[in-house]
Amino acid sequence: MPASKKIQEIVDAISNHRRAVLDAISGLSETQLGYKPSDSNWSITDVLHHLALTEEANLKLASRMLKQAQALNLPPDPTPDGSEINCLEPFAEKLGSTRAQAPDFVAPQSHLPVEESLARLEASRQRFLEVIEGLGQYDLSLLKYPHPILGELNMYQWLVIAGGHERRHAAQIERMKAQFDFPK
């Protein structure tokens, strides 16, 4: 079954944000990937590991929500041609002003090689897209789960925030590359 306009729009956004991350790291050397602006900051390698851990956590959440939707026999989305891409606008101020501290389960504890992080990102993305396709059969506004900063979000909001998370880290990588002491 083809994705609804609403789900396709979210998938396209998530894919564009992933592409921004991959473009940001394209051609970087091991030295550049390991660069840290300060001892308290993550390297690009660490950011990629964090993204892999986060994507895997988002996949687990989406899978649980799909099982819940199936068990509850939720109805289909009554507005599949609508849009949810801006569903986080009510949280824009909070998202823009809050510097989030990654929970331990998505914080890079070890220095995972970039290739392994990228492989994990690719594998989890493929599965994530499959789960999103399954979720697309339901009204995701009825599936809710608490976010550590924003409070209760519906599944549309969770899907959008997952992609936005990668967009924010792509921008972080670009800022790191612009540092005066970034290795050439």
Side-chain angles (χ1 to χ4, degrees):
M1 177 169 85
S4 69
K5 177 184 176 279
K6 191 180 285 188
I7 291 294
Q8 190 60 55
E9 183 179 48
I10 293 170
V11 167
D12 290 346
I14 289 171
S15 298
N16 288 336
H17 300 322
R18 172 62 55 86
R19 202 168 9 265
V21 168
L22 297 177
D23 289 348
I25 65 165
S26 178
L28 295 181
S29 68
E30 287 297 318
T31 301
Q32 291 169 319
L33 292 166
Y35 165 81
K36 292 173 76 168
S38 73
D39 288 339
S40 63
N41 290 98
W42 290 346
S43 67
I44 295 171
T45 299
D46 294 333
V47 170
L48 294 172
H49 186 188
H50 164 69
L51 290 176
L53 293 169
T54 303
E55 175 101 340
E56 290 164 355
N58 286 331
L59 171 58
K60 286 178 187 172
L61 173 62
S63 296
R64 281 196 315 266
M65 294 293 103
L66 177 57
K67 287 178 184 170
Q68 185 177 346
Q70 292 166 336
L72 295 171
N73 196 25
L74 289 182
D77 187 330
T79 60
D81 291 331
S83 177
E84 290 289 336
I85 204 69
N86 296 316
C87 63
L88 294 175
E89 281 184 4
F91 305 102
E93 185 176 328
K94 193 168 200 175
L95 285 170
S97 65
T98 305
R99 178 160 159 58
Q101 180 68 31
D104 285 344
F105 70 97
V106 294
Q109 304 296 326
S110 61
H111 297 290
L112 197 66
V114 169
E115 299 77 25
E116 189 173 335
S117 291
L118 292 174
R120 287 172 66 174
L121 277 168
E122 178 61 27
S124 60
R125 177 53 53 95
Q126 290 308 314
R127 182 71 183 112
F128 193 48
L129 292 175
E130 291 169 10
V131 172
I132 291 172
E133 183 179 338
L135 283 167
Q137 301 173 52
Y138 302 100
D139 182 354
L140 301 185
S141 67
L142 302 175
L143 288 172
K144 302 195 180 191
Y145 192 81
H147 184 274
I149 295 171
L150 304 178
E152 190 168 80
L153 297 179
N154 69 43
M155 203 58 207
Y156 289 119
Q157 292 166 320
W158 270 103
L159 295 176
V160 170
I161 209 164
H165 179 251
E166 290 198 8
R167 181 187 69 239
R168 288 185 295 282
H169 282 295
Q172 175 190 17
I173 292 168
E174 293 297 346
R175 286 190 306 274
M176 290 168 73
K177 290 169 38 178
Q179 295 283 321
F180 73 93
D181 61 342
F182 187 78
K184 299 298 175 219

